[in-house]
Amino acid sequence: MRFGPLALKSTFALNNVGIDTNVFNANDVDQPQSDFTMTFTPMTDVWLRMGRTWISGQIDVDWVYYRRFASERSANSDYRINVARTFNRLALNGAARRLSTRERPGFEIDARSQRLETELDGNVEMRVMAKTFVGAKAWRRRMTFDRFAV
């Protein structure tokens, strides 16, 4: 959809439909439990152009469903915003992100505990020749877990 300088694109996805044969990542000795699971994800991308400045963002929510294990159900939200500005030879870009989720962050953590991630990043690029750029990027990510999770 387009409303003047504002553009929106919405999508829906149905991910991970099937049987999770080891919901809690248990050893074979501990009798792994299985359950039907699916993830429904509505997402919206937003763009706004103001001259040489672009503001873009994304709103993403994952609805995770388990049939038997209601404790594993969750709604995970991910919000991002990006601002990009170009000058004659200089380009600036800054972004912020907020993620609230119960998904496992990697293979080393078995529990689906609530966590909050905030991220800020920025970069600057200078065009020094027709196809050559020199730039610098800095970013910071902070991750906090539920303090009662084990």
Side-chain angles (χ1 to χ4, degrees):
M1 294 184 289
R2 191 164 185 158
F3 305 100
L6 178 67
L8 302 166
K9 181 182 85 172
S10 294
T11 57
F12 299 96
L14 188 58
N15 306 324
N16 303 328
V17 178
I19 305 294
D20 185 346
T21 58
N22 193 349
V23 175
F24 301 104
N25 281 355
N27 293 328
D28 292 336
V29 178
D30 296 331
Q31 304 291 324
Q33 296 179 329
S34 64
D35 194 3
F36 172 79
T37 183
M38 70 177 181
T39 304
F40 174 70
T41 307
M43 181 177 9
T44 300
D45 293 318
V46 180
W47 298 275
L48 177 64
R49 183 174 180 186
M50 297 181 302
R52 292 178 139 184
T53 303
W54 280 89
I55 299 173
S56 60
Q58 185 178 51
I59 301 166
D60 183 354
V61 178
D62 293 333
W63 299 95
V64 181
Y65 173 78
Y66 282 86
R67 182 185 303 155
R68 286 183 30 219
F69 299 109
S71 65
E72 302 304 302
R73 296 176 189 166
S74 66
N76 307 322
S77 60
D78 189 1
Y79 306 104
R80 300 173 194 198
I81 188 166
N82 185 51
V83 178
R85 172 74 167 131
T86 57
F87 298 96
N88 195 16
R89 293 184 170 269
L90 183 69
L92 303 172
N93 192 350
R97 178 180 181 221
R98 181 186 187 277
L99 171 68
S100 176
T101 184
R102 288 191 61 221
E103 287 294 315
R104 295 178 180 125
F107 296 111
E108 64 277 354
I109 298 176
D110 290 333
R112 289 182 182 91
S113 64
Q114 184 69 36
R115 80 175 187 278
L116 177 65
E117 290 184 24
T118 54
E119 184 175 332
L120 299 171
D121 69 66
N123 66 346
V124 59
E125 289 183 345
M126 175 68 81
R127 184 169 41 138
V128 292
M129 293 172 42
K131 295 183 180 181
T132 305
F133 290 84
V134 174
K137 180 173 184 166
W139 62 275
R140 179 180 191 265
R141 178 184 293 168
R142 182 172 187 205
M143 186 183 306
T144 56
F145 286 89
D146 180 14
R147 63 184 180 143
F148 298 112
V150 178

